[in-house]
Amino acid sequence: MFEGFDSFDHVIGEVSLHGRIGGSGPPLLLLHGYPQTHVMWHKMAPQLAERFTVVAPDLRGYGASSCPVTRPDHSQMSKRTMAADMVGLMATLGFSHFDILSHDRGARVAHRLAMDAPEAVRKLIILDIAPTREMYANTTLGFARAYAHWFYLTEPYPLPERMISTDPQDFWDKKCMFGAAGDGPFSPGARAAYHAAFDNPDVIHASCEDYRAAATIDIAHDDADGDAKLTCPVHVLWGAHGAIEAFFDCLSLWRLRAEQVTGKSLPGAHYLAEELPEMILEETFAFLAHR
């Protein structure tokens, strides 16, 4: 995986960020979701690198990036803090202005990055999420059952950490293969990489803190935005067989948070970059083509 890419480890503030960089052309930042790593882009990275300089980091607290010291308000895993990491990383690599392709938790980081540093983001692609605050505000029993981890992981330390740590690989499999696509999206090599990363108790704790932050400080930051909206063009794609399609009006919710929103559902579930890589590539190239 990632043939022709170079690995990096850069210290950005309080954390060391691990990842891969490759290709040439305009910079494109890839942000992964939970409970994954930058490896989730492995089916798309070679083709993206033909047109872009691709930067694929592990978010703080995930994969081979370091885990920050826990704070009582969970701010060490707030999307504002994680977004600042990415601005710092891209600056270290020589990029002040870039596009973003993002999934799941990484898309929430991207949302905050584009709000806090609008001058840095040219265009933003979001895979299979609606905005955090609006998803919590519009929660139904069906959504709560489909996304039980959204609520379970916010329980106070150490309850979810202890329960997940009894068998991290089994938890990973049950969480990620619960959807309509089953284990179909995941190649054996990628799944092994995810298992290896998630065997780390510090990563399990940091990822729980990610969700605790989402339910508290991240919503406070969203509320403080008031009527402000993202100014960069936003393209949203989601799975027709997943929870976003079933429980939310995705485009309407994003239009509450961004000025320019396009998008559509695709015939997949949640892990679109691994389930439908060719479709995501087609959408990415089309959306980012006009500079």
Side-chain angles (χ1 to χ4, degrees), residues 47-262:
Q47 294 94 325
L48 290 171
E50 293 174 3
R51 306 190 192 187
F52 301 97
T53 299
V54 174
V55 180
D58 292 339
L59 297 169
R60 63 162 57 203
Y62 287 89
S65 291
S66 63
C67 298
V69 175
T70 302
R71 300 175 193 143
D73 64 354
H74 318 297
S75 59
Q76 83 286 351
M77 291 298 288
S78 74
K79 304 312 156 293
R80 171 160 288 161
T81 300
M82 298 167 85
D85 288 345
M86 294 303 117
V87 173
L89 173 65
M90 294 301 278
T92 295
L93 295 171
F95 305 122
S96 61
H97 192 56
F98 46 88
D99 297 309
I100 305 177
L101 171 59
S102 57
H103 175 249
D104 191 78
R105 310 312 290 178
R108 303 188 190 286
V109 174
H111 177 194
R112 179 45 56 189
L113 194 164
M115 182 61 73
D116 287 356
E119 71 287 349
V121 182
R122 194 184 75 92
K123 291 186 176 182
L124 169 59
I125 302 174
I126 286 172
L127 302 183
D128 209 62
I129 69 162
T132 303
R133 180 183 61 185
E134 283 68 25
M135 287 181 71
Y136 272 117
N138 291 279
T139 291
T140 62
L141 176 60
F143 170 67
R145 290 177 64 86
Y147 271 35
H149 65 287
W150 261 51
F151 307 92
Y152 168 63
L153 297 179
T154 67
E155 287 294 302
Y157 173 85
L159 177 62
E161 286 91 339
R162 284 183 178 174
M163 296 183 73
I164 294 168
S165 294
T166 61
D167 194 338
Q169 292 187 14
D170 184 63
F171 176 86
W172 195 99
D173 288 348
K174 285 183 167 57
K175 191 277 171 198
C176 295
M177 299 177 189
F178 172 78
D183 64 355
F186 308 113
S187 68
R191 188 176 169 195
Y194 301 145
H195 281 173
F198 208 59
D199 272 342
N200 182 346
D202 292 337
V203 168
I204 293 171
H205 173 60
S207 63
C208 290
E209 286 288 295
D210 181 358
Y211 282 83
R212 291 174 184 132
T216 54
I217 192 169
D218 289 347
I219 292 177
H221 291 157
D222 285 349
D223 288 342
D225 292 335
D227 295 330
K229 294 184 177 184
L230 300 181
T231 56
C232 67
V234 177
H235 191 53
V236 185
L237 303 168
W238 66 95
H241 309 307
I244 299 299
E245 173 76 9
F247 302 111
F248 301 99
D249 184 342
C250 191
L251 287 182
S252 292
L253 293 177
W254 276 112
R255 285 172 179 150
L256 296 174
R257 308 302 302 279
E259 294 177 356
Q260 306 174 64
V261 181
T262 57

